[in-house]
């Protein structure tokens, strides 16, 4: 057996949409987008009862490579790297991902271990922004972390989608569109705190995270997109409501038919404006 195993998926939507659905299905706290692929850390304790983390990487399938393999026709590949019982962990993840109602195949470069063909495959996801959705986006040291806000009353939910400002407006907007469309996730304030404050070279305290961050609340409703920057405050951060004090003078409203490029550019612009306003006080 090779050093990785793979799960292949047929999916007509965007990589960003699939990444968030995979993260929800596997109940990971978050995932990272590099500008090229998506990486999920999978805790083996919950799947195998043993210590260790697997790293699952989502990327598009190279159709030329796949043409002469059993994986021809699949759109995406989830490659699992794990130093423990690799094939067993891969099978556990494959079994969970069948809940997505997508055609799947599980195997390595030599053989297919299992396939899943749903009786009623999930319909293609909508393009652009959803008709309704909410999210909060934190920017900390050029890292963006987007959190879905769902439910009634609305609650922040993991998984957290992470990327860097440097990937560009279009890529940032695609990540945010996927988060705005999220419908699932886990409501757990302590899990959320860990997810937001620990993915740094040195994990941050809540106070330090608030000091180094600005936030932008996004809401889509009635054909309108509303974006409001916030000054982050430690006492508000994990109360599952607003992340601090709104900077209403910087708020923006516009039509919800914005492109990913336009959405990403708006959020990056508001982050810059919020930081300039705070620095000038």
């Amino acid at each position: 057996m090779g050093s990785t195993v793979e799960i292949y998926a047929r999916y007509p939507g965007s990589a960003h949409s699939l990444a968030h659905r995979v993260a929800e299905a596997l109940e990971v706290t978050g995932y990272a987008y590099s500008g090229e692929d998506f990486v999920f850390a999978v805790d083996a304790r919950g799947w195998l009862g043993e210590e260790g983390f697997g790293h699952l990487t989502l990327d598009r399938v190279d159709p030329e490579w796949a043409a002469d393999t059993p994986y021809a026709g699949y759109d995406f590949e989830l490659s699992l790297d794990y130093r423990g019982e690799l094939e067993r962990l891969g099978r556990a993840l494959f079994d969970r991902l069948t809940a997505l109602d997508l055609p799947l195949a599980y195997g390595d470069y030599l053989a297919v271990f299992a396939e899943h063909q749903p009786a009623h495959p999930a319909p293609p996801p909508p393009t652009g922004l959803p008709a309704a959705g909410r999210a909060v986006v934190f920017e900390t040291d050029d890292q963006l972390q987007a959190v879905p806000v769902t439910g009634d009353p609305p609650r922040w939910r993991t998984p957290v989608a992470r990327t860097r400002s440097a990937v560009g407006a279009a890529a940032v907007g695609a990540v945010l569109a996927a988060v705005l469309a999220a419908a699932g996730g886990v409501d757990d304030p302590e899990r959320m705190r860990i997810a937001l404050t620990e993915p740094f070279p040195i994990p941050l305290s809540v106070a330090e995270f608030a000091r180094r961050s600005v936030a932008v609340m996004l809401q889509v409703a009635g054909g309108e997109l509303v974006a409001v920057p916030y000054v982050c405050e430690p006492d508000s951060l994990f109360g599952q409501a607003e992340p601090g004090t709104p900077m209403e003078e910087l708020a923006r409203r516009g039509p919800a038919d914005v492109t990913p490029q336009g959405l990403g550019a708006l959020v990056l612009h508001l982050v810059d404006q919020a930081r300039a306003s705070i620095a000038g006080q």
Side-chain angles (χ1 to χ4, degrees), residues 51-273:
E51 295 296 321
F53 279 87
H55 288 89
L56 195 63
T57 303
L58 170 65
D59 205 350
R60 286 196 173 272
V61 171
D62 180 346
E64 292 186 7
W65 170 86
D68 297 324
T69 75
Y71 309 116
Y74 285 94
D75 304 294
F76 294 96
E77 171 190 280
L78 288 147
S79 179
L80 175 65
D81 183 9
Y82 179 58
R83 294 188 177 183
E85 295 185 58
L86 175 64
E87 187 175 324
R88 184 169 161 236
L89 178 58
R91 181 56 193 251
L93 301 180
F94 170 83
D95 288 345
R96 176 62 64 87
L97 292 177
T98 60
L100 297 178
D101 289 331
L102 300 174
L104 302 175
Y106 171 50
D108 62 12
Y109 68 100
L110 293 175
V112 176
F113 306 147
E115 291 184 283
H116 173 69
Q117 296 294 332
H120 303 287
T127 59
L129 297 189
R134 295 182 64 183
V136 56
V137 187
F138 294 94
E139 190 276 338
T140 315
D141 301 340
D142 292 324
Q143 177 170 260
L144 298 170
Q145 299 189 93
V147 175
V149 183
T150 65
D152 185 20
R155 304 282 290 179
W156 300 4
R157 299 177 189 268
T158 58
V160 176
R162 303 184 185 93
T163 192
R164 308 293 302 191
S165 303
V167 301
V172 167
V175 170
L176 301 182
V179 173
L180 281 166
V186 176
D187 172 15
D188 184 334
E190 178 61 14
R191 177 185 172 102
M192 179 65 68
R193 181 194 67 77
I194 293 170
L196 288 172
T197 61
E198 290 199 349
F200 294 91
I202 300 176
L204 304 179
S205 67
V206 171
E208 184 66 6
F209 179 80
R211 187 186 71 80
R212 291 163 62 168
S213 302
V214 296
V216 178
M217 290 286 290
L218 299 172
Q219 182 167 2
V220 179
E224 184 179 55
L225 169 65
V226 180
V228 183
Y230 279 75
V231 178
C232 295
E233 297 171 354
D235 292 342
S236 301
L237 267 183
F238 301 104
Q240 299 289 299
E242 297 182 339
T245 302
M247 306 175 76
E248 295 287 359
E249 70 280 6
L250 299 180
R252 295 289 183 271
R253 294 176 179 269
D257 60 352
V258 64
T259 65
Q261 172 91 26
L263 177 60
L266 172 63
V267 169
L268 292 174
H269 175 67
L270 290 179
V271 165
D272 289 343
Q273 283 198 315

